[in-house]
Amino acid sequence: MKHLFYLVFSFIFISSLYAQNGFNSESLLVTQSELKQNIYPKDSTANALVIYETGHSNVGKDDFKLHFELHRKLKILNKEGFDHATEEIWLYKNDKGRKEIVENISATVYNLNGDVIEKTELSEDDIIEEKYNDNYTIVKFTFPNVKEGSIVKYSYNFISPFMYKYKSWNFQADIPKLYSEYNTSIPGNWSYHVKLVGGRKLSESKSHLEERCLRVSNGSANCMVSKYVMKDIPAFTNESFMTAKTNYLARIEYELKTLRGFDGSIDHITKSWSDTDQEVRRETDFGRMIRKTSTAKNLIEEESLAGKSDLDKTKFIYDFVREHYNWNGKYDLFNEVSLRNPINDKSGSASEINMLLYNILVSYDIDAKPLLISTREHGFATRLYPVLSDFNYTLVHVSIGGENYILDANDKYLSFGQIPFQCLNQFGRRFNYKSGSSWYDFEPSQISSMSYRGELFLDESAQLNGHLELLASDYKAYFFKKRYFSDSENFINNLVNSKGIVSIDNVNYNEMQKSDDNVKINFDISATPEIIGDKLYLNPYIVDFFQENPFNLQERSYPVDFGYKQSYTYLAKISFGENYSVESLPETQNISLPEKSGLLTVNYQASETDVTIYFKLTFNKAIYEPAFYQSLKELMSVVIDKQKNTLIVFSKKE
């Protein structure tokens, strides 16, 4: 106990030292108390810990290049932390031969041998340079003599000729950090959009003007000198129901906005959306595809659409494109795309297939527009200024009779108007060829449901038999269809038989089709309850909606993003006739999430001949902010417990 107290006290002392005083001369020291630590009390799962780190970026007065200097002090807590004993630095080279370099790499590893602190220096032989491709090289080095408890101090200088790529800074990583500080000096010639990402607040942020920090023969520039600090930063841990990590990792990013020459010239690097729209129309293959309506119209005979309403025309064209053209798996968006590819080859990139759909729709006077999307894995597109590289996918937005529909012809499992799950990323940029583009927010409005309805009975031999019907709608149906058509033989067993005690027979998929809005599956089941003495113990949940709680973090700093609203229902009637009587039923329970954003209702009712089980879990929001996390975690813990541990106790009648 005394030893544990010492460890905790020492680490709290270390934490407070850097949190309060920041980076100073004492931060450079390595002490015995630091080396003896092997746990971080604020995160017992941490395998390594950044004690402090500082970065400094400025423009060189002699070479006008971007100079970045890093200093970091790293603690290895256990063997699993050895993965953090290797550093990689990516260096970029453009096609004209201009390149980034790294120099002055230095590292010292500290270990405790008895009461003596031993040091091991990084040698030049430990530094390896690998070519990744024509544009990137990786400089890699592994710290020598790393052990459990080691402390590593290392630094390097990074030099880049690419001022449009001002050095970003990650405050957060996959291990905790006690103190992270970034210092910048930006001459007035370069004006950047500065974006703090991730939602975590800075512990310190201050700036001042340094006059004439950069001089040339015909002028000088003032510099904005800034300091940004975060303290006690938890590790970022991936968990279920999240979009791209880059959406939430605490960091500072820079996007060059304007470049001012010493001669007074001004170059606006970041354009307005109006300018960007013109660029897309005139200078990209994507823009050229927008104007191919005459080519696309000839693909469908007009007689096929005669007499149809606009909605029926749209559905016909949508089905036609999905049936005759296949996605080749590529995401090419703005360049190296052409409608000739899908027309000639019957396959094309995601952009080409959907732009073909768009052109056919427009050729038949349907109000359709391309909708540029950043997928969930790609991260959010910034709304502050145009960045075309933020987008990687195209959908088609259709407006008919005041109703909006979003279409994707690449996925055969989607129903009409269903947005691909990978595109459920909150918003996109709707492109109007005549009036320009605009932001378009979207979220599936209906609740995707999954429900089981069962008629079950206990026979004289204590065997549970009966019939279950599975109904799924919207995205629940979508995922079922994908699983069924990829492995139809094992689909129902994998879906239902998680408890391993259920036998399944007479499965009817009701002629399931890939584009069905809903899924309906019927099947018979049999199971053997547990019998102890004259008591029969039955878990009434033949199927589980969840195998385990998806929420296990102590704290989650980013939203829970389901993508869509959803509900789960289990309604079963168990008949036991005159053979048994109900000795005990589980308790009825109602649990609400804050702001009525979700509800769990569990109810059990018994009569002389049967028991009815009603379970319903509803999530009324597609996205839950971090403030809801603990409530979601507790709710799901109850759900898992109900599914796995609920028992109805029956007594056999004499």
Side-chain angles (χ1 to χ4, degrees):
M1 180 64 72
K2 180 179 179 181
H3 179 62
L4 178 60
F5 172 78
Y6 171 76
L7 292 177
V8 173
F9 174 79
S10 298
F11 237 109
I12 291 174
F13 170 76
I14 294 168
S15 300
S16 62
L17 173 65
Y18 297 115
Q20 293 173 15
N21 300 329
F23 174 56
N24 52 40
S25 59
E26 293 187 9
S27 304
L28 297 171
L29 300 176
V30 173
T31 66
Q32 288 190 17
S33 61
E34 288 178 309
L35 288 167
K36 290 179 179 178
Q37 312 315 311
N38 57 11
I39 59 169
Y40 177 47
K42 289 187 177 181
D43 182 358
S44 59
T45 65
N47 301 315
L49 170 73
V50 173
I51 297 176
Y52 77 77
E53 63 179 6
T54 63
H56 298 261
S57 289
N58 65 280
V59 177
K61 296 181 180 181
D62 299 322
D63 59 8
F64 291 90
K65 294 181 179 180
L66 177 62
H67 289 248
F68 168 75
E69 183 178 353
L70 173 76
H71 290 268
R72 182 172 287 139
K73 185 176 180 181
L74 173 70
K75 172 71 179 182
I76 304 297
L77 295 169
N78 52 47
K79 289 182 180 179
E80 285 72 23
F82 289 178
D83 291 342
H84 299 279
T86 297
E87 183 78 0
E88 290 185 354
I89 305 168
W90 288 67
L91 304 176
Y92 173 73
K93 180 180 72 173
N94 68 9
D95 296 335
K96 297 179 180 179
R98 302 182 73 199
K99 62 181 181 179
E100 299 168 337
I101 64 172
V102 62
E103 59 186 23
N104 300 329
I105 298 174
S106 175
T108 304
V109 179
Y110 297 81
N111 288 299
L112 195 60
N113 185 2
D115 292 330
V116 178
I117 297 177
E118 296 181 339
K119 298 190 295 182
T120 306
E121 303 290 340
L122 181 77
S123 70
E124 291 187 5
D125 294 338
D126 296 321
I127 303 172
I128 301 171
E129 187 170 318
E130 299 175 352
K131 182 178 178 181
Y132 183 75
N133 57 30
D134 290 340
N135 295 113
Y136 282 96
T137 298
I138 305 172
V139 174
K140 182 187 301 184
F141 48 94
T142 298
F143 306 121
N145 199 29
V146 169
K147 304 175 182 179
E148 291 185 89
S150 294
I151 288 179
V152 183
K153 292 199 307 183
Y154 65 99
S155 62
Y156 60 80
N157 293 83
F158 170 91
I159 302 172
S160 171
F162 309 114
M163 283 300 297
Y164 68 90
K165 291 172 58 181
Y166 199 87
K167 189 70 174 177
S168 59
W169 180 260
N170 287 345
F171 290 105
Q172 195 170 27
D174 56 356
I175 59 174
K177 296 182 180 182
L178 299 183
Y179 183 88
S180 181
E181 175 185 314
Y182 190 38
N183 299 273
T184 63
S185 176
I186 302 178
N189 303 70
W190 290 275
S191 177
Y192 295 89
H193 293 286
V194 183
K195 183 170 64 171
L196 180 64
V197 181
R200 300 195 70 85
K201 294 182 179 180
L202 292 165
S203 305
E204 181 181 346
S205 175
K206 59 184 181 182
S207 301
H208 70 273
L209 193 67
E210 180 182 339
E211 296 185 354
R212 305 181 70 183
C213 68
L214 201 63
R215 300 182 185 184
V216 294
S217 58
N218 61 338
S220 64
N222 298 332
C223 287
M224 181 60 66
V225 179
S226 302
K227 177 181 178 181
Y228 308 100
V229 176
M230 278 192 188
K231 303 174 184 177
D232 292 326
I233 311 157
F236 186 93
T237 305
N238 292 316
E239 197 179 48
S240 300
F241 305 116
M242 60 174 282
T243 52
K245 177 180 177 179
T246 54
N247 292 334
Y248 312 116
L249 196 69
R251 66 190 188 280
I252 284 182
E253 290 186 342
Y254 298 82
E255 180 82 17
L256 185 58
K257 178 172 57 176
T258 305
L259 177 61
R260 296 178 175 87
F262 286 102
D263 60 358
S265 62
I266 298 177
D267 184 6
H268 294 289
I269 307 299
T270 302
K271 300 176 176 63
S272 66
W273 267 111
S274 177
D275 292 334
T276 302
D277 292 341
Q278 292 288 342
E279 177 186 334
V280 170
R281 294 189 195 101
R282 298 173 181 174
E283 301 179 20
T284 67
D285 294 338
F286 178 85
R288 285 181 274 277
M289 286 197 296
I290 295 176
R291 305 189 294 270
K292 299 294 183 180
T293 53
S294 59
T295 302
K297 187 172 184 178
N298 298 328
L299 298 174
I300 296 180
E301 297 180 0
E302 293 192 25
E303 293 78 7
S304 302
L305 301 174
K308 294 183 182 295
S309 66
D310 283 351
L311 182 58
D312 287 337
K313 283 183 184 178
T314 301
K315 290 181 177 180
F316 183 92
I317 294 169
Y318 175 65
D319 289 337
F320 172 84
V321 174
R322 293 210 300 174
E323 181 179 350
H324 290 86
Y325 304 94
N326 296 309
W327 178 35
N328 62 17
K330 296 182 179 179
Y331 284 87
D332 302 328
L333 182 52
F334 290 107
N335 295 302
E336 299 182 5
V337 289
S338 171
L339 291 189
R340 291 192 300 270
N341 294 330
I343 291 175
N344 295 336
D345 302 335
K346 302 301 180 184
S347 69
S349 70
S351 175
E352 291 169 336
I353 299 296
N354 278 335
M355 289 305 292
L356 179 62
L357 170 63
Y358 158 81
N359 275 280
I360 299 175
L361 290 170
V362 171
S363 71
Y364 285 98
D365 299 319
I366 303 299
D367 183 5
K369 297 176 180 63
L371 181 62
L372 303 181
I373 293 291
S374 176
T375 59
R376 291 170 70 92
E377 295 80 10
H378 194 245
F380 293 138
T382 180
R383 301 184 75 151
L384 299 175
Y385 43 84
V387 182
L388 289 180
S389 60
D390 280 357
F391 302 97
N392 69 326
Y393 203 87
T394 309
L395 299 173
V396 180
H397 175 273
V398 176
S399 180
I400 301 174
E403 295 292 329
N404 294 315
Y405 305 90
I406 298 178
L407 305 179
D408 178 23
N410 294 297
D411 193 330
K412 311 297 184 185
Y413 297 98
L414 295 171
S415 57
F416 180 81
Q418 188 175 34
I419 304 168
F421 178 77
Q422 65 171 339
C423 294
L424 293 179
N425 210 18
Q426 302 186 29
F427 56 85
R429 191 80 183 178
R430 185 171 52 184
F431 199 90
N432 188 316
Y433 184 75
K434 295 181 179 179
S435 60
S437 64
S438 59
W439 290 110
Y440 182 79
D441 297 331
F442 59 86
E443 177 186 313
S445 57
Q446 66 188 48
I447 292 180
S448 297
S449 65
M450 176 180 175
S451 66
Y452 287 96
R453 299 178 183 274
E455 292 285 342
L456 310 172
F457 64 92
L458 278 170
D459 62 21
E460 295 182 359
S461 61
Q463 187 75 11
L464 182 70
N465 299 296
H467 180 80
L468 282 179
E469 179 181 77
L470 165 63
L471 298 170
S473 71
D474 204 38
Y475 288 99
K476 295 303 179 187
Y478 169 81
F479 289 116
F480 282 162
K481 288 183 293 183
K482 292 194 74 171
R483 290 166 62 184
Y484 169 73
F485 284 101
S486 64
D487 188 4
S488 59
E489 291 186 5
N490 297 314
F491 169 75
I492 198 68
N493 278 304
N494 293 336
L495 181 67
V496 174
N497 209 11
S498 60
K499 289 185 168 66
I501 59 171
V502 180
S503 297
I504 301 167
D505 199 7
N506 300 323
V507 182
N508 180 7
Y509 292 105
N510 295 285
E511 299 181 351
M512 187 190 305
Q513 301 296 315
K514 289 183 178 180
S515 59
D516 286 346
D517 294 330
N518 303 301
V519 165
K520 180 179 178 180
I521 305 171
N522 303 86
F523 52 94
D524 295 333
I525 69 99
S526 63
T528 303
E530 182 179 11
I531 300 175
I532 302 176
D534 61 348
K535 302 289 192 296
L536 186 150
Y537 298 85
L538 173 66
N539 184 333
Y541 297 101
I542 303 302
V543 294
D544 291 337
F545 291 118
F546 302 93
Q547 298 300 310
E548 58 186 17
N549 192 337
F551 308 122
N552 295 295
L553 299 178
Q554 294 179 357
E555 175 188 358
R556 178 160 161 163
S557 59
Y558 51 92
V560 172
D561 190 331
F562 292 120
Y564 51 88
K565 303 171 186 176
Q566 50 194 294
S567 71
Y568 303 84
T569 304
Y570 182 84
L571 177 61
K573 180 180 179 182
I574 302 175
S575 299
F576 50 86
E578 298 180 356
N579 300 312
Y580 301 91
S581 61
V582 176
E583 183 166 307
S584 66
L585 282 176
E587 294 182 357
T588 294
Q589 198 164 11
N590 290 287
I591 301 176
S592 296
L593 290 174
E595 301 177 12
K596 298 181 180 179
S597 60
L599 177 66
L600 171 65
T601 299
V602 186
N603 188 29
Y604 307 91
Q605 293 184 348
S607 69
E608 292 184 358
T609 58
D610 54 61
V611 174
T612 301
I613 300 97
Y614 177 76
F615 171 104
K616 185 166 186 179
L617 173 65
T618 304
F619 296 107
N620 294 320
K621 295 165 67 76
I623 302 172
Y624 289 85
E625 294 304 316
F628 289 84
Y629 182 71
Q630 291 302 324
S631 297
L632 284 167
K633 181 178 177 180
E634 293 168 7
L635 176 65
M636 288 304 298
S637 178
V638 173
V639 169
I640 299 300
D641 181 65
K642 293 293 180 187
Q643 290 180 144
K644 295 188 178 300
N645 300 318
T646 294
L647 290 175
I648 298 176
V649 182
F650 295 90
S651 296
K652 189 171 180 63
K653 292 183 178 179
E654 296 295 334

